[in-house]
Structures are given as C-alpha cells and as structure tokens.
C-alpha cells in the first residue's frame, strides 16, 4: 500500500515535469518497504508514522526500543498531535526520542517540526535537524505539547471559520476569498 502511494506520487511528479523517469527509478530503487520491525535493528534513525493512535504508537516505540540495537539511535514520531513525552516514556531511552512532524504531501511540503522534550539529548536534536535539512526540509523547533506550532495555530483558525459560517456571518466562499485576498493565504480555511 505505501509503495503504491509512493509510485503514484512519483508518477505525478514525472507527468508534471518535476522529475524525469530516471530520477523516479533512482528513488524507487532506494526504497525498501517492510512490515517487519525487526528489520530496523541496525538503523540510526527510525521515524514512526502510523495512524494518530497513542496506544498503537506507544506499542511500536516499546518494540523499537527492544529491537533497535544502537542505544544512540534516534527514535522519532511523525505525530502531529500526541505529546512526544508520552511516547518517549514507552522506551528505556527517552532522551533519544523526538518528534519529526513532516507535513503532507512530504515530497512537496518543505516544513518539518522538530519536537523536543525536557529529556531530549541536545546532540540527538541536532542530528535529527541535520537529517531533515539534508533531505531538503526547513526545520522549526517546538517544545513538546499537543499540536506543536502549526496545528496549535491552525485549529483555532479553522474553528473560527466554521463558527463564522455557522453563524451566517458570511458564505463559505466569501470566508475563503477573504483570507486568500485579504491575508494572502494560498487557500481559505474552509477550502483547506
């Protein structure tokens, strides 16, 4: 399933002229897909990206803690809302657990929120940031709390737009047009 989505995304990039077929084939040749966490044993960085289910994420972090052999390896979560401290508590190495929240679609979106906790090892933070920058991401750092930076700002924005529409203050189209033309947003909150 994941490989199919990656192939489809790369196919669209080829169709749009943003990537040639050789580039697509090179990328696909470097990707390995597995459902076996045991294959992560020798990794220096593992980024968990399962659904936003805290118990499932904790279970995976506990398993990765046992599987990933190098005690200096980074265990990261791509969560957009679950506090990293809670996930880190599922491991014996909470100082090596960070949030690396990549925005979707990852190949297009330049931002990555690096979320650290009071337990985070500064060297781990720097290594995680260096990795993200190496793959072309702009990194912003956030302290640990649900929602981090972007979602803490977006959720109230969305709720305000919904309440405005529900109260009959303006149409959906006018709310979106107002934010696009008045605040120079690429799309309005309801469209988003």
């Amino acid at each position: 399933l994941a490989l199919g989505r990656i192939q489809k995304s790369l196919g669209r990039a080829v169709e749009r002229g943003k990537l040639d077929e050789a580039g697509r084939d090179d990328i696909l040749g470097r990707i390995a897909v597995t459902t076996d966490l045991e294959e992560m044993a020798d990794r220096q960085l593992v980024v968990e990206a399962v659904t936003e289910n805290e118990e499932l994420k904790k279970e995976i972090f506990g398993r990765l803690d046992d599987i990933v052999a190098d005690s200096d390896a980074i265990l990261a979560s791509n969560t957009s809302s679950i506090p990293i401290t809670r996930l880190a508590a599922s491991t014996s190495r909470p100082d090596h657990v960070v949030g690396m929240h990549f925005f979707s679609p990852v190949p297009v979106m330049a931002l990555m929120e690096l979320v650290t906790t009071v337990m985070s090892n500064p060297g781990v933070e720097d290594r995680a940031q260096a990795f993200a920058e190496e793959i072309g991401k702009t990194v912003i750092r956030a302290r640990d709390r649900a929602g981090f930076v972007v979602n803490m700002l977006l959720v109230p924005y969305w709720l305000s737009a919904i309440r405005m529409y529900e109260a009959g203050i303006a149409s959906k189209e006018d709310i979106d047009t107002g934010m696009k033309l008045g605040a120079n947003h690429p799309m309005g909150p309801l469209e988003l």
Side-chain angles (χ1 to χ4, degrees), residues 8 19 28 32 39 51 73-74 95 100-101 123 126 130 142 150 152 156 158 160 175 187:
K8 187 175 179 180
L19 184 66
L28 289 173
E39 292 187 29
T51 187
I74 300 169
D95 59 328
M100 294 180 74
H101 179 213
D126 293 342
V150 174
M152 282 191 69
W158 288 331
S160 293
I175 293 167
M187 65 178 65

Side-chain angles (χ1 to χ4, degrees), residues 174-185:
D174 285 345
I175 293 167
D176 286 340
T177 299
M179 291 310 295
K180 286 189 278 191
L181 300 180
N184 203 26
H185 290 197

Side-chain angles (χ1 to χ4, degrees), residues 5 48-58 60-61 77-82 87:
R5 282 191 232 155
E48 163 279 315
V50 300
T51 187
E52 289 292 286
N53 176 311
E54 185 173 338
E55 293 310 311
L56 177 60
K57 287 179 183 288
K58 285 178 178 178
I60 289 172
F61 270 87
S77 178
N78 186 47
T79 184
S80 62
S81 62
I82 298 168
L87 303 177

Side-chain angles (χ1 to χ4, degrees), residues 107-118:
V108 175
M109 301 296 283
L111 185 66
M112 192 275 289
E113 287 178 311
L114 177 58
V115 184
T116 59
T117 73
V118 296

Side-chain angles (χ1 to χ4, degrees), residues 4 16 20 25 61 65 107 146 159 161 174 190:
R16 294 180 183 142
D20 62 21
D25 295 344
F61 270 87
D65 188 43
L159 291 173
D174 285 345
L190 300 173

Side-chain angles (χ1 to χ4, degrees), residues 31 59 61 107 115 117 119 139 141 145 164 179:
I31 295 174
E59 176 187 330
F61 270 87
V115 184
T117 73
M119 299 173 287
V139 177
R141 289 188 179 215
R145 81 172 271 164
M164 183 180 288
M179 291 310 295

Side-chain angles (χ1 to χ4, degrees), residues 111-178:
L111 185 66
M112 192 275 289
E113 287 178 311
L114 177 58
V115 184
T116 59
T117 73
V118 296
M119 299 173 287
S120 294
N121 177 311
V124 168
E125 295 175 26
D126 293 342
R127 287 174 36 221
Q129 180 164 343
F131 170 78
E133 290 171 346
E134 185 178 319
I135 62 170
K137 300 301 177 187
T138 298
V139 177
I140 61 172
R141 289 188 179 215
R143 281 310 206 188
D144 192 26
R145 81 172 271 164
F148 317 130
V149 173
V150 174
N151 284 338
M152 282 191 69
L153 292 169
L154 274 179
V155 170
Y157 171 63
W158 288 331
L159 291 173
S160 293
I162 291 166
R163 287 183 186 119
M164 183 180 288
Y165 174 67
E166 286 177 337
I169 295 170
S171 69
K172 290 185 281 189
E173 296 78 16
D174 285 345
I175 293 167
D176 286 340
T177 299

